[in-house]
Amino acid sequence: NGKIVTDIDLVSAIEAHRQHNAIATLVLKKNLAREHFSIVEVDSRGCISRFAGFPQPVLTKASTVEAFSGNTTVVSSLEDAPLMFTGIQVLSPRIFEYIPRNCFSHSTTHVYPRAIEAGETVLGHISEGDWVELSTLRRYLDGSLAFLRKQGRSVIEGTGCGIEAPVEESVLWDRVRVERGARVRNAVLADDVRIPSGVTIEQAVVVRRDIVREVERGYIVGDNLVVSL
């Protein structure tokens, strides 16, 4: 779960874990977009009772990031939104007693259900914080921009960048150069990328060609590999 960006209050989750003497506390959110995340059911005590199937999508057309950041139109009411697991969890050492030995296992399939069946407290801690999952290039850019907009910004730059042309709605890593006469919009420019004069980059991710062993998608422009979003 190293591919999430969030401002969820972790201290609050830890405090809830300790107060309930839980073996595990899973941070949950309402799945407003009803995306393809397993439904997590909790009982009247706030303990997780079951990991269920996937919800049926009922949203109007909107992006995932907008849904999670509360800027979309949801067809169903907030109360009807199912709970989903954010991947953030607080664990007590005795959880190891329920992990199968010498084989692959998945926490929500093989570990937590065993602990629940044994009567352990697996707590569901519901958070209202922002949470974005970054499993695709599009989601990485959209997630980054969602957090930037909350700060009143639309562009973020790393160290050592040289920007001589318009850059909008974009994420720039370190030592990026955008030369005069170029244009960048809705893009991710990785380390040491140079966008020469006269080139327009839009709705794309750009990395240095020399760091890519095999080109599986995208196209080469000068020293760069450009992948459309």
Side-chain angles (χ1 to χ4, degrees):
N1 293 304
K3 56 183 179 180
I4 62 175
V5 178
T6 183
D7 60 6
I8 285 174
D9 186 351
L10 303 182
V11 172
S12 177
I14 294 170
E15 289 176 348
H17 179 80
R18 290 171 174 164
Q19 288 171 5
H20 290 81
N21 192 32
I23 191 172
T25 297
L26 278 58
V27 179
L28 311 177
K29 274 187 65 68
K30 290 184 178 180
N31 187 355
L32 301 180
R34 292 180 178 264
E35 284 202 290
H36 197 70
F37 294 108
S38 297
I39 296 171
V40 181
E41 298 179 354
V42 297
D43 60 23
S44 58
R45 302 171 299 153
C47 296
I48 294 172
S49 57
R50 189 168 77 100
F51 297 92
F54 300 103
Q56 293 296 318
V58 292
L59 269 183
T60 56
K61 188 176 182 181
S63 76
T64 302
V65 172
E66 289 174 337
F68 279 121
S69 57
N71 298 321
T72 191
T73 302
V74 182
V75 175
S76 61
S77 67
L78 186 64
E79 290 74 18
D80 292 336
L83 292 172
M84 53 164 280
F85 178 33
T86 64
I88 300 170
Q89 54 216 302
V90 184
L91 305 175
S92 295
R94 67 180 188 279
I95 192 65
F96 288 104
E97 299 173 13
Y98 297 94
I99 299 177
R101 297 293 189 266
N102 302 315
C103 65
F104 172 85
S105 64
H106 192 290
S107 62
T108 60
T109 304
H110 306 103
V111 181
Y112 296 141
R114 290 180 63 189
I116 293 169
E117 186 176 355
E120 296 277 8
T121 297
V122 178
L123 186 67
H125 179 73
I126 302 173
S127 173
E128 301 297 329
D130 288 332
W131 178 93
V132 180
E133 191 265 352
L134 308 174
S135 59
T136 68
L137 297 177
R138 178 80 259 177
R139 292 172 77 107
Y140 169 74
L141 176 58
D142 287 347
S144 299
L145 293 177
F147 280 91
L148 284 173
R149 290 187 191 108
K150 291 185 66 176
Q151 303 169 20
R153 306 164 64 191
S154 64
V155 175
I156 187 169
E157 302 175 13
T159 59
C161 292
I163 310 303
E164 302 173 352
V167 175
E168 307 171 61
E169 300 282 309
S170 297
V171 175
L172 279 56
W173 292 9
D174 293 339
R175 300 175 301 281
V176 172
R177 295 194 60 81
V178 180
E179 296 182 351
R180 190 181 306 275
R183 183 176 177 86
V184 176
R185 183 178 182 277
N186 213 238
V188 177
L189 307 183
D191 290 345
D192 300 304
V193 161
R194 180 180 68 88
I195 307 301
S197 179
V199 172
T200 296
I201 299 294
E202 188 168 6
Q203 299 284 345
V205 173
V206 184
V207 300
R208 292 277 303 177
R209 168 65 183 94
D210 55 14
I211 69 169
V212 181
R213 185 172 300 172
E214 295 182 13
V215 177
E216 298 180 359
R217 57 183 286 208
Y219 53 94
I220 307 298
V221 177
D223 295 330
N224 301 321
L225 170 63
V226 181
V227 179
S228 298
L229 294 174

